[in-house]
Amino acid sequence: QVQLVQSGGGVVQPGKSLRLSCAASGFTFSTYGMHWVRQAPGKGLEWVAIIWYDGSDKYYADSVKGRFTISRDNSKSTLYLQMNSLRAEDTALYYCAREDGSRRFDPWGQGTLVTVSS
Amino acid sequence: DIQMTQSPSSVSASVGDRVTITCRASQGISSWLAWYQQKPGKAPKLLIYAASNLQSGVPLRFSGSGSGTDFTLTISSLQPEDFASYYCQQANSLPWTFGQGTKVEIK
């Protein structure tokens, strides 16, 4: 079945780096745009980044621009989010999501928690 | 950036009630609007896409309407499994943005 399985979260000190992964299965990964969305504890959803199906273009939320990098390896059907210069306000549950037709997020990964704390 | 404003932020309702949630965009987004349901500890689930299209497998009691700047999600007869948070999301232009969410609680 169509599935996104995430890994790579954890606790990290401010200013440090972390990389999240999102492994896709059950569909042709290389034909879909992919996104990262995050949710701070007790808060709503915040869109983070998008990467085109072939990696040719990327776009970021202002809150992470210059610090986060979205990438993909279509040969491994895997999406990544490299997070540098992490701040306390980056603490959140991070979700990867496939952009299905009609600009919809479906499915979503299970989420991975990133905690930025000294 | 396009701002999405949902109302109400929370609603208390009983099983069988009709519940309506509205979402207003700060500028026109055509029909590029989706609705998601999120239960505690779970990833969001797509309910409605392109403003009024029901995602496969979603019960018929859910419906969406609207275009331009004003949109509505309606649950025609609330069921116990519908108590959750609901988010609208615009996909007209980057950055895609979400509403702040509406929590549907048991009355």
Side-chain angles (χ1 to χ4, degrees):
Chain A
Q1 74 278 25
V2 175
Q3 196 173 8
L4 299 172
V5 177
Q6 298 181 228
S7 60
V11 180
V12 62
Q13 293 178 329
K16 299 296 187 181
S17 300
L18 202 61
R19 188 177 83 159
L20 306 183
S21 299
C22 171
S25 61
F27 65 98
T28 305
F29 180 73
S30 61
T31 63
Y32 289 88
M34 296 294 296
H35 297 250
W36 289 98
V37 176
R38 68 184 181 182
Q39 186 170 35
K43 303 296 184 183
L45 300 168
E46 179 189 15
W47 177 85
V48 172
I50 177 179
I51 185 167
W52 264 235
Y53 69 98
D54 58 356
S56 61
D57 209 352
K58 308 168 187 180
Y59 197 92
Y60 300 91
D62 286 345
S63 57
V64 306
K65 198 175 298 181
R67 301 187 299 120
F68 289 14
T69 301
I70 188 172
S71 63
R72 64 191 298 157
D73 185 338
N74 285 345
S75 69
K76 295 182 179 179
S77 296
T78 301
L79 174 73
Y80 302 100
L81 185 68
Q82 178 68 42
M83 303 183 293
N84 298 332
S85 302
L86 282 161
R87 305 167 180 168
E89 54 265 36
D90 295 319
T91 293
L93 194 56
Y94 284 74
Y95 294 101
C96 58
R98 183 182 74 171
E99 181 184 329
D100 208 338
S102 299
R103 305 184 190 178
R104 51 188 166 170
F105 290 141
D106 183 69
W108 295 61
Q110 82 278 17
T112 188
L113 183 62
V114 173
T115 303
V116 184
S117 174
S118 54
Chain B
D1 298 0
I2 298 175
Q3 309 303 316
M4 306 300 294
T5 304
Q6 275 182 245
S7 61
S9 55
S10 65
V11 56
S12 294
S14 301
V15 173
D17 284 354
R18 182 183 183 89
V19 172
T20 299
I21 299 168
T22 64
C23 183
R24 174 165 289 176
S26 60
Q27 63 190 78
I29 59 170
S30 185
S31 294
W32 294 115
L33 185 102
W35 289 97
Y36 300 88
Q37 176 194 65
Q38 188 180 33
K39 296 181 179 179
K42 298 292 187 181
K45 172 189 172 184
L46 176 68
L47 298 176
I48 302 286
Y49 64 95
S52 60
N53 294 274
L54 193 67
Q55 175 70 355
S56 176
V58 174
L60 293 175
R61 63 181 179 272
F62 291 93
S63 64
S65 65
S67 67
T69 61
D70 294 307
F71 301 86
T72 299
L73 173 70
T74 300
I75 310 172
S76 61
S77 178
L78 200 64
Q79 297 301 301
E81 60 268 30
D82 301 337
F83 291 97
S85 293
Y86 294 84
Y87 295 90
C88 63
Q89 172 245 322
Q90 68 83 17
N92 182 73
S93 60
L94 290 169
W96 291 9
T97 44
F98 291 89
Q100 78 277 19
T102 295
K103 189 172 185 179
V104 177
E105 300 173 301
I106 301 172
K107 195 171 189 178

